[in-house]
Amino acid sequence: MSQLFSKENKEAFFGPLFANNPVAVQVLGICSALAVTAKIEPAIVMGLSVTVIVALSNVIISLLRKSIPNRIRIIVQLVVVAALVTIVSQILKAFAYDVSVQLSVYIGLIITNCILMGRLEAFAMQNGPWESFLDGIGNGLGYAWVLIVVAFFRELFGSGTLFGFQVIPESFYDLGYMNCGIMLTPAASLILVGCIIWFMKAREEKAAK
């Protein structure tokens, strides 16, 4: 049991959440952060979808790594990811159709997500299934919380809602308050991601001192 939660395994899980966050530190997966964060619900679904796909693909590739010829390893990784993305896409269409429509092609484009392919090549191909699973969960959740934070501010200040429910009181609008239209544009998500990156870098520098 102690080996399952060794220092290295804890680092594989907790590292990507903050210190080595795939979006805020490694600056990966930015495209989807710009595209699916106008509302918080699709951002959560995208984050969870990526988490599940990264974790499962990491485990599968880790189990197969010793039997995959080096020259076709990328092809095998793409096939595994494509199969998982297809399964997740079909599940969303069956049980969360409205969200699936909002996410549109971006679920299918998970296969091109730099985070996912990077973890398969850099971690799963060199480590066991359990370590790869923890790495996948950690990177997926690290990606997810950035999307959710960005979506929270975009929906709140852009639409005055959260999860589609009105949050900013009508009395504020009666007094002249207006929703910030720029929050509904991709530019706003880029600015918010930049603020998160700045915060993470400042936090890292402060910790180093």
Side-chain angles (χ1 to χ4, degrees):
M1 182 64 71
S2 60
Q3 291 182 344
L4 292 178
F5 298 99
S6 64
K7 182 179 179 180
E8 291 77 13
N9 289 347
K10 289 179 180 178
E11 177 61 27
F13 177 79
F14 290 107
L17 294 179
F18 298 103
N20 197 28
N21 187 274
V23 179
V25 178
Q26 300 179 51
V27 197
L28 300 174
I30 295 293
C31 296
S32 52
L34 305 182
V36 302
T37 53
K39 301 288 183 181
I40 198 167
E41 187 176 7
I44 291 174
V45 172
M46 174 61 91
L48 292 177
S49 298
V50 169
T51 300
V52 170
I53 292 170
V54 176
L56 293 180
S57 60
N58 262 14
V59 171
I60 293 170
I61 293 300
S62 177
L63 290 170
L64 297 175
R65 72 187 191 281
K66 294 182 180 179
S67 59
I68 301 175
N70 189 60
R71 64 182 181 278
I72 63 167
R73 71 186 190 284
I74 300 298
I75 297 174
V76 174
Q77 292 170 14
L78 287 173
V79 169
V80 170
V81 172
L84 291 171
V85 168
T86 301
I87 293 171
V88 169
S89 177
Q90 294 305 309
I91 290 174
L92 288 177
K93 288 178 181 178
F95 298 101
Y97 182 75
D98 291 341
V99 177
S100 176
V101 171
Q102 292 181 60
L103 291 173
S104 184
V105 300
Y106 296 106
I107 284 292
L109 289 176
I110 290 175
I111 191 174
T112 65
N113 194 306
C114 301
I115 299 169
L116 197 142
M117 295 306 297
R119 297 326 296 165
L120 293 179
E121 185 69 9
F123 197 92
M125 288 294 290
Q126 284 80 41
N127 293 275
W130 175 245
E131 294 84 355
S132 298
F133 176 75
L134 292 177
D135 178 79
I137 293 291
N139 276 276
L141 293 178
Y143 167 85
W145 79 254
V146 173
L147 260 65
I148 293 169
V149 169
V150 171
F152 174 87
F153 287 105
R154 288 187 70 191
E155 183 175 357
L156 178 62
F157 294 110
S159 304
T161 62
L162 287 176
F163 293 100
F165 296 101
Q166 191 70 33
V167 173
I168 298 179
E170 281 296 328
S171 57
F172 280 41
Y173 295 99
D174 295 337
L175 293 173
Y177 177 82
M178 296 178 62
N179 291 327
C180 184
I182 194 175
M183 280 293 181
L184 300 178
T185 68
S189 57
L190 189 61
I191 292 169
L192 289 169
V193 169
C195 290
I196 293 174
I197 293 173
W198 168 78
F199 173 78
M200 295 293 288
K201 292 292 184 182
R203 180 173 173 269
E204 182 181 345
E205 291 179 3
K206 185 176 180 181
K209 293 179 182 179

